[in-house]
Every structure is written in C-alpha cells, then in structure tokens.
Amino acid sequence: MKSFESLLTVDRCRETLLRFWTEQTDVDQAGEGLAIALPLLYPDGWQVQVFVEPISPAHVWGKVS
C-alpha cells in the first residue's frame, strides 16, 4: 500500500484539478461571446454561470484607436 505522502504530489494535484475542471466545465458559444457553466453551486442550488463577451478590438488587443 502506498503512503499518503507518495500519493500527494504537486504534479498529481495539478493533473487531477485540470481533469476535474475539464470534465465538469461546460463552455458554449453565446452570441459574440462564451457562456461558461462552472461546477460551482450557490447555497440555494443555482449553478454558477459566467458570460464573457469582447468589449471592443481595442480593449481585447490593448490598442488605442
């Protein structure tokens, strides 16, 4: 049997978290942006969703028009 110390490594933790977020996060196109459904719930059971949209090319690329 492996000891706890040999199971808990930085790389294994990183791989596990990456796999979890990849499997549990839904990303879909929403108009000009993206809708991201996170594996997080509010206390009342509602799922946390984030919507990301570009403001303007100048803001996205850091250029001044």
Side-chain angles (χ1 to χ4, degrees):
M1 184 170 176
K2 294 184 179 183
S3 69
F4 180 73
E5 290 80 18
S6 67
L7 293 174
L8 185 61
T9 66
V10 172
D11 290 336
R12 187 171 296 210
C13 180
R14 183 177 286 124
E15 290 168 5
T16 301
L17 286 171
L18 180 60
R19 185 173 59 248
F20 170 78
W21 282 97
T22 300
E23 292 172 356
Q24 300 300 318
T25 303
D26 291 326
V27 181
D28 292 309
Q29 192 72 40
E32 293 183 24
L34 300 173
I36 306 167
L38 301 170
L40 303 170
L41 298 176
Y42 287 112
D44 59 5
W46 285 72
Q47 184 177 26
V48 177
Q49 294 185 354
V50 178
F51 295 88
V52 181
E53 293 183 351
I55 298 172
S56 72
H59 284 87
V60 173
W61 301 110
K63 299 176 185 174
V64 177
S65 299

